[in-house]
Amino acid sequence: MCCSVRMWLVKTLLMLNLHTTSALILIKSSLYLHIHLFLYQEGKCLYVVLLMAVYWCTEALPLAVTAMLPVCLFPTLGILPSKKVCVQYFLETNFLFLSGLVMASAIEEWGLHRRIALKVLKIVGVKPAWLILGMMITTSFLSMWLSNTATTAMMLPIANAILESLFGNLETLKENCKDKSDPEGDSQAKMHVFPLKKKQIPDWTDRSEQNNLEEVRREAQYQMKVWKGFLICIPYAASIGGTATLTGTAPNLILVGQLKSYFPECDLINFGSWFVFAFPLMLLFLILGWIWIAFLYGGLNTRLCISKHDEREATEAKATAVIDEDYKKLGPIKFAEGSIAFFFILFAVLLFTRDPKFVTGWSIFFTKGYVSDAVTGVIIISILFFFPSQRPSLRWWFDSRASNTPYVPLLSWRKAQECVPWNIILLLGGGFAMAKGCEESGLPVWIGKHLQPLAQVPPAVAVILITAFIACFTEFASNTATIIIFLPVIAELAIRVKVNPLYFMIPATTGCSYAFMLPVSTPPNSIAFASGHLMVKDMVKTGFVMNILGILCVSLAMNTWGLHMFNLHIYPDWARPLNASSATVATYTIATTNMTG
C-alpha cells in the first residue's frame, strides 16, 4: 500500500510541475503520517484520542457514549485487549466517586443541605456584600461534597427568594432601570398632547420630578447590579468549592486514577493530602473572588460596616425575616437529618485521617496497601441503606404487642439509582481506559519528544502557562474531557524536562475547574445563565478576571505549601517507570530560584 501511495503522489506532483524539493518534502510528510497512523501503535492511539476529543468537544455523541469508544476501538485496532480495557471502567477511584454521589443523594433526600444554607445566611446577615459572601461560602462548602450542578440548582431558588424580599419584583426593577426622564420618550409625547397644562407647571416642580425619577433609576440600576452579583457568584463558588476534595469534581479523581496507572509507586495523593493542599487554595481563591464580585456588582460600600437608617435598612430587615421564616419552617432537626449529618461527618473524618501523610493514619491497623479511600466510602454508604430514618422504639423490645416505628432506611436503592449520574461514572471510566491505551501505546512519550523545546522554560513559568492553557481550553469543552486528553501529555512533558510530574499535573487538574467566562463552560454556568437575568458579557467580564486570579492562586500554592507537601523540588524515583524506554534519569533537584520565579 505504501508503494502505491508513493507512486500516486509522484505522478500527481509531476503533472503539477512542482519543484523537486517541495515534492520530496510532501512525499516524506505524507508517508510519515501514513505510517504513523496505520502502522505504529502511538499513531493508532492518537487517532482514537483525536476522535474522542472531537466528539467530546462537539458533543456529536452523548459524552458517556463517546467514553465507551475505547471498548470497541482499542481491541479492534490492536492497541489493547478488551480484558485490559473493560476493567478500567470501574477502578477503585470510580467507587470513591460513587460513594460521594450516594452520600450526596442522602443529604438531598432529607434536606440537610437546605438547613446548612439557611443557617449560614442567618449568620452572615443580609447586607449585599456579606450576603454574597454567605452565598459563596455555603455554595462552596456544599460543592465540596455534592455535585457542582446540584449545588447550583439548590442555591439559586434560595438566592431569588432573598433578592425578591430585598428589591421586590424583578420586572418592576427592570422597568425602573429605564430612563423615564428622556425628553425623546413618553414625556415628550405627553407634552405634545397637553401643551397648556405643561406650561402651567412651575419649572422647579418639573426639575424636582426629574430628580426623583433619576434617583429611582440610579437605585434600581444599583439593585440590578447586586442581583446579577448574587446570581453569578453561585456557579463560580460551586466550581471553586469542588476543587477542595477529591470527590468534589471529576478531574480530581481522574488525576488519582491516572497517577495509579502511570506511576504505581506514587502514593502522595489521597483524600487527606489533597484536602490539606487544596482547601487553603480554595479559601484564598474564594476570598479574592468575593472581593472582585462584590466590587464589580456594588456590594462593597460604606454600608458594609456602618449601619444607616434609610430605605435599604427596611428592605434588609424584610430579607432577614424571610430567611428566619424559611429556617423556622424546617422545624427542629429530625432524627434522619441528625443521622445523615453524623454519617456525613464520619465519612469526611475517616477519609481525611486514613493516611494524611503528615501524621500516622488509621490505615496502619490493616495490611499495608489493602484499605483505600474507596473501601472507606463504600463502608459508610452501605450503612445508609439499612440505618433507620426514624428513631426506633425501645418499648417493642420489652413488649412485643407495643406499636413499633415503621422501618424506613435513610436511603433506598431506588433513590440512589435516580440521583446518581451514572453517565459521569462511565465518563470517568472512559478517561481511565484512554489513559491506559496511551500508556501501552507509548503515545505520551512520542508527543513528549516533540515538546522538548519547553525544557528551556523555567518550571514556575511553565506552571502558569499550563494552568492558563487548560483554563482556556475548558471554557469550550467539558472539564472531564479536557483533563482526560491533556493529563498524559503533561505527565510526559514533566518527565522530559526532569520535573516532578505532580508539579505540572496538579495545576492542570485544578485549572480544569476554572471555567468562568462562558455559559457553556460548565453546567453551573448554564443553570445561572438560564435564569434569563445574566448576559454573556456579564460572565465574560467577571470570568476573565476570575481566571487570572485562579491562575495566580494556583501558582502561589504550588510554589509555597504545595512545594513542601509533595517534595516538588525533587525529581522522584517513582516517576521513572513512565520513561523506562529512555536512558536512566538521574535524580534531579530543581533550583529554588527557578521554582519561585
Side-chain angles (χ1 to χ4, degrees), residues 11-20 23:
K11 289 179 181 179
T12 304
L13 293 173
L14 289 175
M15 288 176 63
L16 293 174
N17 295 320
L18 291 177
H19 194 273
T20 307

Side-chain angles (χ1 to χ4, degrees), residues 155-177:
M155 288 299 296
L156 280 175
I158 297 175
N160 282 321
I162 296 170
L163 289 167
E164 287 181 2
S165 63
L166 268 173
F167 304 136
N169 183 270
L170 182 63
E171 296 305 320
T172 304
L173 191 61
K174 288 181 178 178
E175 186 65 27
N176 291 337
C177 287

